[in-house]
Amino acid sequence: MPPRLAIVIPCYNEEEVLPETSKRLKVLLDDYIGKQLIATNSYVLFTDDGSKDRTWEQIARLYSSHQYFKGLKLSRNFGHQNALLAGLFHADDADIIISIDADLQDDLNAMEEMIQAYLKGYDVVYGVRDDRSTDTRFKRNTALAFYKLLSVMGVESVYNHADYRLLSRRAMDAFKSFEEANLYLRGMVPMIGFRQTSVYYKRGERFAGESKYNLRKMLSFAWNGISSLSIKPLRFVTFCGFIIFAITILLSIYALVAYMTHHTATGWASTVIPMYFLGGIQLLCIGLIGEYVAKMYKEVKHRPRFIIEEHLQ
């Protein structure tokens, strides 16, 4: 019996692209059902992350017009990762779940290869870009630097993979046991285990609308990924403390030798420069520790990661 597929799509102000996205997805589901790759009751679940435009109106219209489409409306904007998580959690009647963004940059045709991989026994299938030619040079270089930094920090991730992936039912059930509030799904999914593989595709340009990730949001997202999954920045604090302690010991020996050989020289540089250096290091370390304490503060409160206002199912 073919598996039931749920395609989960988080949306924030996507009214310009949703008509084309839904049109292409309908054709794609018809094709896969005709090939008996998926069950006839497969569907698309749009998650509206508190959009300010007519995104939800369009989702409700799609729900009324065809059985393929369902909708989930969050009570406010919770952020892309939380909206995606909400969609994944509410696709609990599907055998396989594929998540993808609404902007049509990721190749929809790669889904067939993902499903074929699932049928061969894989529980997690990553969609990986093998071409970033549509990105600006700045974005390509910063993305490369980010993935390298993740690797240095010990975070397990798939290079050039965003949030385009397939999860089997047992992989999704296992993922539900992850309860942290600070979400970085790209780094959390590899931690599930089971059999995993990747499919490769060429990334296109955004069909319509504007990207919701500006430089500030990308930097915030990158830092959240590192600080949520790695303790190496805290070890950096310990390393800095050790280095400063070693330098202090050497300076003390130098000062003692200079005093005994009567080569001491008065001056402000030897006092002021170390003071500012140590002060800067201390502020950096306190700020870094504060970031981790803030994340712990968010975790221990156990606030909901999303709140559902309406569910069209």
Side-chain angles (χ1 to χ4, degrees), residues 42 54 61 64 72 98 100 105 108 119 124-125 127 139 159 161 179 192 194 233 237 271 279 288 297 301:
S42 298
R54 296 183 300 165
R61 191 178 302 117
S64 301
L72 193 67
I98 295 178
I100 189 172
Q105 285 189 282
L108 297 179
L119 295 175
V124 181
V125 186
K139 189 170 183 178
Y159 180 68
H161 164 68
E179 299 180 351
I192 297 174
F194 302 122
V237 173
T271 302
L288 189 56
Y297 175 68
K301 287 187 293 186

Side-chain angles (χ1 to χ4, degrees), residues 7 27 31 54 90 137 143 161 175 185 197 200 216 224 247 253 272 285 291 294-295:
I7 301 174
V27 172
D31 180 42
R54 296 183 300 165
H90 283 77
R137 178 178 298 179
H161 164 68
F175 185 66
L185 301 185
T197 188
Y200 297 87
R216 180 182 63 81
N224 187 55
I247 292 174
I253 295 173
V272 175
C285 295
E291 287 282 342
K295 288 185 178 294

Side-chain angles (χ1 to χ4, degrees), residues 56-75:
W56 180 247
E57 294 177 25
Q58 293 194 17
I59 293 173
R61 191 178 302 117
L62 288 167
Y63 169 75
S64 301
S65 65
H66 203 283
Q67 63 178 1
Y68 283 162
F69 302 110
K70 299 184 178 185
L72 193 67
K73 180 176 173 58
L74 304 190
S75 61

Side-chain angles (χ1 to χ4, degrees), residues 91-103:
D92 52 5
D93 55 355
D95 300 309
I96 51 177
I97 305 171
I98 295 178
S99 60
I100 189 172
D101 289 336
D103 55 19

Side-chain angles (χ1 to χ4, degrees), residues 83-189:
L84 176 54
L85 189 73
L88 293 173
F89 277 20
H90 283 77
D92 52 5
D93 55 355
D95 300 309
I96 51 177
I97 305 171
I98 295 178
S99 60
I100 189 172
D101 289 336
D103 55 19
L104 296 176
Q105 285 189 282
D106 297 317
D107 185 7
L108 297 179
N109 295 319
M111 289 188 189
E112 182 170 355
E113 194 173 347
M114 289 181 175
I115 297 170
Q116 293 288 1
Y118 164 77
L119 295 175
K120 292 176 182 177
Y122 290 97
D123 290 283
V124 181
V125 186
Y126 301 103
V128 180
R129 311 166 192 169
D130 62 0
D131 179 18
R132 301 189 71 111
S133 59
T134 58
D135 292 342
T136 63
R137 178 178 298 179
F138 174 77
K139 189 170 183 178
R140 285 198 301 271
N141 292 336
T142 52
L144 177 62
F146 171 59
Y147 284 111
K148 286 185 176 180
L149 182 59
L150 283 179
S151 178
V152 169
M153 291 295 175
V155 177
E156 186 178 357
S157 62
V158 179
Y159 180 68
N160 271 345
H161 164 68
D163 287 303
Y164 189 17
R165 69 179 73 88
L166 177 148
L167 295 173
S168 69
R169 171 45 48 197
R170 72 167 180 170
M172 188 62 229
D173 289 342
F175 185 66
K176 286 183 177 180
S177 63
F178 289 69
E179 299 180 351
E180 54 253 56
N182 300 285
L183 297 176
Y184 182 69
L185 301 185
R186 303 177 195 183
M188 293 165 63
V189 171

